Structure formats: structure tokens, C-alpha cells
Amino acid sequence: RMTIADFTIEGLALHGRHGVLEAERSLGQHFFLDLHITADIGDAVASDKIDDTLHYGQVIKAASATFNARAYDLIEAAAGAVGDELLRLFPKIISVRVTVHKPAAPVAALINDLAVSIERRR
């Protein structure tokens, strides 16, 4: 039986060395990830068993590891890599929207945040 669930993980704080500028690569900076996931959790509502749903602790671990597996020039590429890896690792996921926030982006303006969202689907 199909049961569609939406999962939201917001504000996952990670330090990364992503960016085009050398200073971004050498010093790194804080990034924040938001994950919006649609998954088929089957009978998890009735079974009440973790194995029947999407284990968000494992999702967070996988997203963090992928985000920091290498340095990306673009946060678009980092977001896409996280989305691709989550789809690969978790067959219950139907779609995932990854938003990478880069609040300390080196731009000639005062900003609260700069973010890019990438959506991946099966």
C-alpha cells in the first residue's frame, strides 16, 4: 500500500570550502541546508516501525557527507550532488528539493542570505 509523506529538514548547519574564490576554499564558511523530501513510506503509519519509513537521521548523515565530500565551485553543484546521492541511497524517496544557503557569500551588497534550490525526482 502506498503512503506518501513529506519530510522537511531545515537549517542543517555545515562548514564547507565551496566557492570560486581562493579565500572561500582556504578558509571555508558556514552553509545551511534545507531538505524537502517526498517519499513513499508504505505501511509505516500502521506498522510504527522505523524500517518502514525514511530514517531522517540517516538522511542527514548522507546529506552532510555528500556536501563535504569535495569542494564545489557552485552551490548549485553541491545541492545537485546531495539530491542525487539521496535518491541513490534511499529508494523510498520520490523527490527531493535541496536548498543550500550561503549567508556569507562574497558579494558587493548587504544580504541576509543567498540560496539556491535544486529539485531531483525519480
Side-chain angles (χ1 to χ4, degrees):
R1 165 171 164 191
M2 181 181 269
T3 301
I4 303 302
D6 290 319
F7 295 82
T8 301
I9 299 165
E10 291 185 340
L12 175 59
L14 299 169
H15 186 269
R17 299 182 182 275
H18 311 300
V20 176
L21 301 178
E22 180 55 38
E24 293 178 292
R25 295 291 181 115
S26 62
L27 297 174
Q29 60 190 291
H30 285 93
F31 295 85
F32 298 93
L33 270 62
D34 298 336
L35 307 172
H36 298 275
I37 298 168
T38 300
D40 178 0
I41 60 167
D43 289 327
V45 173
S47 74
D48 196 28
K49 296 192 184 308
I50 189 84
D51 291 339
D52 292 338
T53 191
L54 189 64
H55 190 304
Y56 43 82
Q58 292 175 357
V59 170
I60 290 168
K61 184 177 177 182
S64 300
T66 302
F67 186 77
N68 284 319
R70 59 169 276 220
Y72 295 94
D73 285 345
L74 304 177
I75 58 174
E76 294 89 326
V82 170
D84 290 342
E85 186 68 355
L86 293 179
L87 283 177
R88 186 184 76 77
L89 291 175
F90 301 97
K92 288 177 172 49
I93 294 178
I94 297 167
S95 67
V96 58
R97 182 178 181 85
V98 180
T99 301
V100 176
H101 299 266
K102 187 176 181 178
V107 295
L110 294 174
I111 61 169
N112 287 328
D113 191 19
L114 185 147
V116 171
S117 297
I118 299 292
E119 186 170 339
R120 298 288 204 219
R121 297 181 171 274
R122 284 207 192 282

